[in-house]
Amino acid sequence: MENQINRRTMLGAGAALAATASIASSSLAQAKPNSLSGQSVLITGCSSGFGYLTALHCARLGAKVVASMRNLPRPEADTLHMAAKDLDLHIVEIDVTDDTSVTAGTEAAISLIGGAPDILINNAGLAIVGPLEAQDLDATRLIYETNVFGYQRMIRAVLPGMRHRGSGHIVNMSSQSGRLIWPGLGHYCPTKFAVEAMSDTLAYEVADKGVDVTLIQPGGYPTAFWNNRETLTGALKKRSDPKHLNGYGAMSDNMGSGRVPQLTGDPMDVPEAIARSLVSPQGQRPHRVMVSASRHPQETINQTHRETHLNFLGRGPFGDAARKVHNS
């Protein structure tokens, strides 16, 4: 792709992270990494929110960052360009829902980096809410194309190079909603459950190939994600047959209303938590990282999941992989 912006940075000296990762905002002052020097990072969905913040944070820590977004040129790319002054940050166009765009954008990133990225952060995502019944096939295809198939496209684009090199790190953005169901969120929870399952599968399959897989499970933070959600949900409601909305009360009444959670917390919690996982030694990186400004309601599920998989896989051919993935 032609839409690339070059920026350079200089930062150094490292810090470490414990391999287990339940991270609350109150603990973020501890062990903040301050070096990703020599690392290359490809990130999707960098027009706003966690993607935008993570791209800048990684670049400020010394990484060569390729930040991607769709529909270039666009004002958000100009904003990122200005914020990235003097950083080694490049912008390429990738629409994760489009095979051709993923291929071209990834090839551009590989050209900029000089090989497969050390790190892929699958961040691009969206939500369309309301009753599951109200989710027409256009909405359903869009959210799965973005939140699930988009991750798979990006993984397939970079993983052969990582395996050939014998090193790599894939970070998939999940959610607390990848473990817990909140009714009325349409296919958001199902897609995040899919991200959790595909990340587990991938982690076990590449555990002996030098490639680590980390899931990030954020709680809610005040970002542009919510306004985007309302725009997409409002469009769905406008084209919906009332028979799919009637009888659900506030669940359908509030679709596209602009009523979003009044959230507190610093969205920078998430980039900082991601950076902690990135600086961990190869083979010791956390498989799941919980990040929240308040609590971690999925913690027990994560613990049970880990113990169950260690027991289930432990005596079979994937026992070593399970123990490596779960740092056991």
Side-chain angles (χ1 to χ4, degrees):
M1 285 293 174
E2 297 296 325
N3 296 298
Q4 302 163 358
I5 302 171
N6 302 324
R7 290 290 175 264
R8 298 208 173 274
T9 193
M10 42 190 181
L11 285 173
L17 159 80
T20 60
S22 173
I23 302 174
S25 58
S26 61
S27 67
L28 288 174
Q30 303 173 12
K32 288 187 179 181
N34 60 3
S35 180
L36 287 172
S37 180
Q39 297 292 297
S40 58
V41 186
L42 172 58
I43 312 176
T44 64
C46 294
S47 63
S48 64
F50 297 142
Y52 174 90
L53 295 174
T54 301
L56 288 173
H57 189 56
C58 289
R60 287 167 180 153
L61 295 178
K64 175 187 285 291
V65 174
V66 181
S68 74
M69 60 185 77
R70 60 191 177 94
N71 298 335
L72 292 180
R74 59 190 292 181
E76 292 87 348
D78 297 335
T79 301
L80 181 56
H81 173 159
M82 294 301 296
K85 184 178 180 181
D86 298 325
L87 300 178
D88 191 0
L89 187 147
H90 313 254
I91 300 175
V92 301
E93 183 173 42
I94 295 180
D95 179 349
V96 300
T97 69
D98 182 86
D99 291 341
T100 301
S101 178
V102 167
T103 299
T106 304
E107 287 177 352
I110 289 171
S111 178
L112 285 164
I113 292 166
D118 295 304
I119 300 152
L120 167 67
I121 301 177
N122 268 322
N123 168 77
L126 56 84
I128 308 171
V129 300
L132 196 72
E133 180 188 341
Q135 308 300 309
D136 63 16
L137 269 294
D138 286 342
T140 301
R141 289 189 188 98
L142 177 59
I143 195 168
Y144 276 91
E145 284 285 357
T146 306
N147 293 8
V148 182
F149 304 154
Y151 283 28
Q152 178 70 358
R153 288 186 180 96
M154 294 301 302
I155 289 167
R156 282 169 52 83
V158 304
L159 188 53
M162 290 181 174
R163 289 193 296 107
H164 178 75
R165 185 178 57 217
S167 65
H169 192 182
I170 294 173
V171 178
N172 288 334
M173 190 66 70
S174 181
S175 169
Q176 290 181 349
S177 296
R179 289 305 213 188
L180 301 159
I181 298 292
W182 188 271
L185 296 186
H187 282 287
Y188 185 71
C189 294
T191 61
K192 291 303 182 181
F193 268 66
V195 169
E196 293 276 334
M198 69 190 289
S199 300
D200 282 340
T201 301
L202 180 63
Y204 298 139
E205 292 175 352
V206 300
D208 64 346
K209 305 183 191 313
V211 179
D212 295 318
V213 179
T214 296
L215 282 152
I216 306 297
Q217 297 177 333
Y221 283 91
T223 69
F225 173 86
W226 303 97
N227 292 332
N228 295 338
R229 183 194 81 170
E230 290 304 288
T231 298
L232 292 167
T233 303
L236 169 62
K237 185 175 184 180
K238 186 175 181 180
R239 66 177 184 263
S240 292
D241 188 320
K243 71 180 181 182
H244 295 302
L245 302 175
N246 294 339
Y248 285 102
M251 195 180 293
S252 57
D253 293 344
N254 289 336
M255 290 174 63
S257 65
R259 298 188 186 97
V260 299
Q262 298 302 304
L263 299 166
T264 59
D266 184 354
M268 278 301 298
D269 290 359
V270 174
E272 290 178 356
I274 291 172
R276 283 183 173 81
S277 76
L278 301 185
V279 300
S280 298
Q282 183 180 2
Q284 299 178 34
R285 292 162 181 147
H287 184 47
R288 282 184 169 82
V289 178
M290 298 182 292
V291 195
S292 174
S294 55
R295 60 194 185 94
H296 305 302
Q298 78 276 32
E299 185 167 13
T300 300
I301 297 172
N302 285 347
Q303 291 171 349
T304 301
H305 176 100
R306 177 181 182 276
E307 293 164 5
T308 301
H309 275 78
L310 284 170
N311 290 332
F312 179 65
L313 297 175
R315 298 182 181 88
F318 296 105
D320 287 344
R323 285 184 285 273
K324 187 171 184 179
V325 168
H326 296 292
N327 296 299
S328 176

